[in-house]
Amino acid sequence: MEDLDFLEPEPDLEVPPDLPDDFLGEDCFTEPELPDDFAWAKAAPNIAGAFARLASVLDKIERDWFPAEVCACVREQIQAWNGTD
């Protein structure tokens, strides 16, 4: 059998801290709405659900971890971007 040592974490690898039990809050038990950006996924309910949940988690991370000023600045830059560098 092939040597599977590569599956073992490095001894000096930092393990991230445990997230609090309420990290996702009550919202994690409701099916989030699919953002308009992902409307193309509506034809496949499993894919649409996955993208809706992803967007919901990313929105929560944005709200909880980043200052509103940073989010506003990033949005401004994205909206002003013309698709070139």
Side-chain angles (χ1 to χ4, degrees):
M1 186 162 162
E2 188 177 325
D3 187 12
L4 300 178
D5 286 343
F6 68 92
L7 294 176
E8 293 295 320
E10 295 294 321
D12 58 347
L13 181 68
E14 273 190 49
V15 176
D18 289 336
L19 294 173
D21 291 339
D22 64 346
F23 170 69
L24 293 176
E26 292 297 318
D27 294 339
C28 71
F29 297 109
T30 60
E31 190 66 30
E33 285 188 40
L34 184 67
D36 292 340
D37 294 350
F38 298 117
W40 55 266
K42 285 182 181 179
N46 290 343
I47 302 298
F51 276 101
R53 290 186 295 277
L54 171 65
S56 177
V57 169
L58 293 176
D59 286 345
K60 177 160 180 53
I61 289 171
E62 175 187 319
R63 285 191 313 271
D64 293 353
W65 294 2
F66 295 99
E69 302 82 31
V70 171
C71 296
C73 179
V74 170
R75 281 196 185 93
E76 280 179 33
Q77 295 298 315
I78 291 172
Q79 288 173 351
W81 185 54
N82 64 6
T84 64
D85 288 322

